[in-house]
Amino acid sequence: MSNKYYSILTKIGQAQFANTAALGNKLKLKTIKVGDGGDDNGEETFPKEIDTKLVRERWNGAINDLYINPENRNWLVIEAVIPDEVGGFYITEFGLYDDQDNLVAIGKYPKTYKPNITEGSGSSLFLRVMLQVSNASQVELSVDPAIMLASKKYVETVFSRKTDSLENNSSEILATAKAAYKLNNKLSTAQFLPYDPKRRYRTGEICTVELNDQVIPMQMYAGPNLTCKGIDPSNITNRHDGWSDSKKPFWWIPYGGRVGMPFYWLSKTPPEEAVMEMNVNLPVEVYWRLAKTYPHLVKNNHINTGEIRGEFIRVWDNGRGVDVERNILSYQNDQIKWHHHDFVDENGIAYYALNDGNNRKKRGSDAVGTEGPDEQNNDCGINHTRKNNPNENSEKNNWKETRPRNIARAMAIYI
C-alpha cells in the first residue's frame, strides 16, 4: 500500500460486490464506525482484508451522504458527521458497514482528536473518506432519516429542492430557511471539513485538502486573532515549506504534533510542520507558536532551541541526586569515572596497575614499567597501550572520545 492512509474492501465486502454483479442488485451501506486503534492516545493501525471489526470502536453513526467522485467513476465518496456532544477520543481507523452490520470496508485514518463539548472545545467533526471499487454504481445508501445528519452540501441541495416545490408559501420557505441556516451555521465551525474558499478560517482551525492522492489535514497558522479567506492551503507558497517572508508568519501548516515537542527523524529534511534542531536563530514573527511555547529561549526577537547535533541526551535530574547541580538544557562535558585496573599474573596473583597515592599496590611501579609494558617481560602488563601518546594505540576501538555504540539520527521540533 503506497498511500499512508487508505481504505480497502474486506473479504466480506469483496464477496458482496461479487454477488451484486452476479445478481444485479445493490450493496446497501448504512453505518460508519471509527476507532482509536486500541489506545487512548490513538494507535496507528494497518487494516487488512481479513478484518471483521475495528481494533477498538469509539463511535458509530449513520452515513449521511454517498456519491461517486466526478473525477474517477470508481471512487465512492462517503460522508458523515460526528456531532459536537460526542468526543474525548482519537480516531485512527474507520469501517463501513452494510444494513446487516457487516464490515464491508476498513481504512486507516489520519490521527485526529475529537474533542468533547465538556472540554471547552466541542465542535462537529466532518468525516469524508473514499473507497475504490470496480463499479461504484453497485452501491447505494441505506438511510434512517431519524438519525441522519446532513453535510453542508446536502443541506443546500435539499433546501433548493424544497423551496422549488413550495411555490409561494412564504411561511414554509421561512421555516425551511431557518432550519437550513441553523445547520449550516453549525457546520461552518466544524473542523476537518474539506477546504472551502468561501469560509473565513481563524487561527487554529483545521480543514482538509487532497495532496498526492492523500487527504491531508491543514491547520490555519498565521497568528493569534487573525483570519484568512480564499488562501488555498494546497498552494505551497501559503505554507511553511514555500514561505519566503521572514517578517510575518505563513498561513497554513500540516496538522499534527504538539508545538515545541522534539522528536527523532530519519531524514536530513524535516517534515513541513517542524524544523531541525541545529542552533538556528528563528524569527519570532514567523515562528510565533514556538516562541510562545518557550519564551525563555527568545532573544533579540529570535528563538533558538539550541545545539543538539552530535550530542547524547540525558534526562534532567530534577532533584533526584544522581546528576546533581544541573539546570535544564545545560551542557556537560565528557568525563571518566574514578577507577583502577587489576592485573593478574601467571600465578593468579592480582596487582594494582597504578599507584593511586594511597599505596593501593603490591609492586608499585613494577606493575607498569617506567618505559611502558616492554619492561614487564610480559608477566602481567598492558600490552596495547603506550605511555605518552594515546593515539599510538594498536586497538581499533580506541579513539579521542569515550562513547557507547550508537546510531546517528536527526532531531526535529514541531513548530
Side-chain angles (χ1 to χ4, degrees), residues 14 50 77 106 112 197 207 222 254 319 347 363 410:
Q14 293 173 20
I50 60 174
V77 182
I106 189 168
T112 302
C207 68
N347 298 316
R363 289 200 299 175

Side-chain angles (χ1 to χ4, degrees), residues 329-357:
L329 302 181
S330 63
Y331 175 79
Q332 188 179 61
N333 210 344
D334 59 291
Q335 287 181 316
I336 298 177
K337 187 177 181 179
W338 293 309
H339 64 286
H340 65 271
H341 297 274
D342 291 340
F343 297 94
V344 181
D345 65 12
E346 65 274 13
N347 298 316
I349 300 174
Y351 297 91
Y352 290 106
L354 299 174
N355 185 343
D356 67 354

